[in-house]
Amino acid sequence: MSILRRVSSLLRSRQLEQELEDELRSHLEMRVEENLESGMSEQEARREAAMRFGNRFSAKENTRSVYIVAWLQSVLQDLQYGFRTMRRSPAFSLVAVVTVALTIGMTTAVFTIVNSVLLRPLPYAAPSQLIWAATLDPRSHQPGTPGPDVAAWFEQNTTMKAMAAYTEDDYNFSGAGDPARVPGALVSASLFETVGTQPRLGRAFLSSEGQPHGDRVVILMDQFWRDRFSADPGVLGKKVEIEGQPYTIIGVMPPQFRFPDNGAEPSLLLPLQFNLSAMDRIIILNAIGRLKDGITQQQAYADLDRVAQKTFNQYPAGIQNFVRGRTIQVSDLQTVLVGDVRKPLLLILAAVGFVLLIGCLNITSLQLARAVERTAEMEMRSALGAKRGRITRQLLTENALLYLLGAGLGIAVASVAVAAARAATTRVLPTVSTISMDHRALLFVALVTFFCAAVFGLAPAMSLNKVRLARQSVEGRVTTSRTNRKIRKLLLVTEVALALVLLTGAGLMIHSFDRLMSVNP
């Protein structure tokens, strides 16, 4: 019989039970009639029929094993009993579920941020080929490349498929909603080719629009398009005013597009309309590039450094003094975008991991304390023939129910926490608009729930399996086993140790922050 048919039989178990009973009774009556026809008395006929068919309960059980997946039915029975147990102890169940929800929820929220910022691949084509390049000022150690160097890199490099340049600023915007100061970026027309992303609506900038005195056009970021234009697909061709000048909307970027800079989330993309090669008016830019196949960062560094040295000799003497001592820096774009927040995020993830452990240990301690109340129940089940493995599975199922319900609520807690983090860390985390729960976060919830339910459910299960009803003392109390007491003491010591680590770390961070705030700017 197919597994699908067996599972479907499980859904109609009551009907199947009645059919089995009717069929067995029918066969028994038919055998009794045959015995009566052969000359037996009614009593002898029924006795022979009963002996021939044997134990009716055993026959029904064997038939069930054919029609029903026995282990699945057993699991469902465990779940039903687990729900009844939770209803009998609502206070304990509520505390356990809320504890799991808060700990798993906060852990999942931090993992979501870490995943979005550190682990999730950049939303570009072949992101591993993207690099960030800049020259560092020897005095301020700030990155920023003079326009002539960028122009020379564009024209003379031999290691890049494409390169792009940009700079950010705020602009006065009007023409849709109230006038406002809006973050924007001047980008070269090659940006879209370099990152491998095109607008979702309209088109990218043309090369001619990136020349001095080119057409005034603008591309909107997705969120700005939704906020200011209500996601109107007919926005293309409309006129808006930027810095008092009319601009035509020619495109809207896709929602997953992330501007390639950890300090900017522009709402407007404008064409970089400068003569970058001009020596009389130098603009400082940021540059990104896409490596050719098989080219390493070291090769790109050597190539760009060669071009920069050649360009330095072409600068007028006054500008040479300004750019003298600048050094080339080449890094992969992923590292540049998350470099400042990697260590703090990993530290926070470790901290909430400790909080998760403390929460799980708390629940385990509560379950061990509750084991005393269930001693008589376990002894009764054991006396009725329940094997140790069967009781252990039932206890693990009850524990898994608590964690599953808590994980479900934890996902809601994580969603609220992620939304709060996005609102509170706009200027702290790079491109917070990309922070969202995805399949990795849900897989993380599933793995954490399974691990906690299995590992931290073993102690209560083993404790209850080893517990025996102690001899009743004069007061009639039931005492716990020595093993139970040792486990509870170990859990308590571990909780205190983890809490002490977290408290010490928090104190050091607050002390450091206080010292930082007291420094004279």
Side-chain angles (χ1 to χ4, degrees):
M1 181 178 291
S2 67
I3 186 69
L4 183 61
R5 187 175 176 186
R6 291 188 178 200
V7 173
S8 66
S9 299
L10 184 62
L11 301 177
R12 54 186 187 91
S13 57
R14 291 186 179 179
Q15 178 184 350
L16 181 61
E17 186 74 18
Q18 185 61 44
E19 291 175 356
L20 285 175
E21 183 68 29
D22 294 341
E23 186 174 356
L24 286 173
R25 186 184 300 110
S26 174
H27 283 290
L28 186 65
E29 292 299 328
M30 289 175 61
R31 183 62 184 178
V32 169
E33 291 180 4
E34 292 177 0
N35 290 339
L36 290 174
E37 291 176 357
S38 65
M40 293 185 182
S41 65
E42 182 174 353
Q43 183 178 1
E44 291 177 342
R46 292 192 175 279
R47 181 173 178 275
E48 193 278 338
M51 292 177 62
R52 181 180 180 85
F53 280 99
N55 191 327
R56 293 172 60 189
F57 294 102
S58 178
K60 290 169 68 175
E61 189 65 30
N62 292 335
T63 306
R64 286 194 202 98
S65 65
V66 174
Y67 283 95
I68 300 176
V69 183
W71 64 265
L72 183 57
Q73 185 183 33
S74 179
V75 168
L76 291 180
Q77 290 173 348
D78 289 344
L79 291 173
Q80 291 174 354
Y81 185 79
F83 277 115
R84 291 199 298 270
T85 302
M86 291 178 64
R87 286 200 301 268
R88 287 200 301 267
S89 305
F92 168 82
S93 301
L94 180 62
V95 170
V97 170
V98 170
T99 302
V100 172
L102 291 176
T103 53
I104 289 185
M106 297 310 299
T107 306
T108 303
V110 175
F111 174 81
T112 298
I113 296 174
V114 171
N115 174 51
S116 300
V117 177
L118 302 183
L119 305 180
R120 187 182 296 169
L122 296 176
Y124 310 126
S128 61
Q129 293 182 329
L130 292 173
I131 59 101
W132 176 86
T135 60
L136 295 180
D137 189 308
R139 294 168 292 275
S140 66
H141 300 286
Q142 293 297 316
T145 307
D149 284 87
V150 174
W153 285 352
F154 282 8
E155 298 170 1
Q156 301 176 34
N157 86 83
T158 59
T159 55
M160 307 285 179
K161 291 181 181 178
M163 286 198 75
Y166 64 89
T167 184
E168 313 100 40
D169 203 349
D170 291 339
Y171 299 91
N172 293 318
F173 176 88
S174 60
D178 297 332
R181 193 78 171 160
V182 174
L186 297 174
V187 303
S188 62
S190 57
L191 174 71
F192 308 94
E193 175 191 0
T194 304
V195 299
T197 303
Q198 295 295 319
R200 64 177 297 180
L201 295 177
R203 61 173 177 83
F205 296 136
L206 303 176
S207 298
S208 59
E209 293 167 343
Q211 299 300 320
H213 311 296
D215 294 338
R216 293 191 179 96
V217 291
V218 60
I219 295 176
L220 308 178
M221 298 296 280
D222 179 78
Q223 191 60 51
F224 187 77
W225 171 59
R226 295 179 183 277
D227 294 341
R228 287 286 183 142
F229 297 90
S230 303
D232 179 14
V235 72
L236 300 180
K238 289 187 176 180
K239 297 285 187 180
V240 293
E241 282 195 5
I242 301 174
E243 294 295 319
Q245 300 294 328
Y247 278 75
T248 303
I249 300 174
I250 63 167
V252 177
M253 295 305 293
Q256 70 274 14
F257 175 72
R258 173 178 179 174
F259 192 74
D261 190 284
N262 65 346
E265 287 195 62
S267 299
L268 308 171
L269 299 182
L270 307 171
L272 183 61
Q273 298 175 334
F274 284 92
N275 181 8
L276 301 183
S277 301
M279 298 288 186
D280 57 339
R281 185 186 177 191
I282 294 180
I283 181 173
I284 301 300
L285 301 168
N286 300 293
I288 60 173
R290 178 175 292 279
L291 298 174
K292 292 181 179 178
D293 296 337
I295 297 296
T296 64
Q297 287 185 28
Q298 290 74 17
Q299 291 173 316
Y301 167 81
D303 183 35
L304 297 182
D305 187 57
R306 172 189 60 82
V307 175
Q309 292 296 334
K310 184 178 178 180
T311 306
F312 176 80
N313 296 327
Q314 299 173 2
Y315 279 121
I319 298 181
Q320 282 188 354
N321 293 331
F322 174 72
V323 300
R324 190 183 306 276
R326 284 181 174 264
T327 56
I328 304 296
Q329 182 178 2
V330 175
S331 305
D332 64 277
L333 189 59
Q334 175 81 25
T335 300
V336 172
L337 292 182
V338 303
D340 294 338
V341 298
R342 178 184 296 273
K343 185 178 292 185
L345 283 181
L346 294 179
L347 286 175
I348 294 174
L349 182 61
V352 296
F354 276 14
V355 173
L356 175 63
L357 286 177
I358 291 174
C360 292
L361 292 174
N362 242 317
I363 295 172
T364 304
S365 298
L366 291 173
Q367 289 176 320
L368 287 173
R370 187 165 169 254
V372 180
E373 303 175 5
R374 303 189 65 184
T375 302
E377 174 194 343
M378 294 300 114
E379 288 292 333
M380 180 64 71
R381 295 185 65 180
S382 179
L384 291 175
K387 296 181 180 180
R388 173 172 293 187
R390 184 68 178 81
I391 295 177
T392 300
R393 191 179 69 189
Q394 172 62 48
L395 295 173
L396 287 175
T397 302
E398 293 177 15
N399 191 66
L401 264 178
L402 292 175
Y403 279 94
L404 286 173
L405 293 175
L409 291 177
I411 292 176
V413 172
S415 300
V416 174
V418 167
R422 289 179 58 179
T425 58
T426 303
R427 294 300 181 185
V428 179
L429 295 177
T431 55
V432 295
S433 59
T434 63
I435 296 176
S436 61
M437 296 185 67
D438 60 6
H439 67 282
R440 289 188 183 185
L442 297 179
L443 179 61
F444 175 81
V445 174
L447 291 177
V448 167
T449 303
F450 175 79
F451 174 81
C452 293
V455 174
F456 294 98
L458 284 177
M462 293 173 62
S463 173
L464 274 173
N465 256 328
K466 292 180 179 179
V467 146
R468 291 292 179 266
L469 241 153
R471 296 178 180 275
Q472 301 294 328
S473 64
V474 177
E475 293 82 11
R477 295 177 300 178
V478 178
T479 60
T480 58
S481 68
R482 180 178 300 178
T483 302
N484 194 324
R485 291 195 296 270
K486 287 183 178 180
I487 294 176
R488 292 177 63 184
K489 289 179 180 178
L490 177 62
L491 292 176
L492 180 60
V493 170
T494 306
E495 281 190 67
V496 173
L498 291 174
L500 185 60
V501 171
L502 287 176
L503 185 62
T504 304
L508 290 173
M509 291 183 67
I510 293 173
H511 179 64
S512 299
F513 181 74
D514 179 65
R515 292 182 60 185
L516 182 64
M517 294 301 293
S518 65
V519 174
N520 190 325

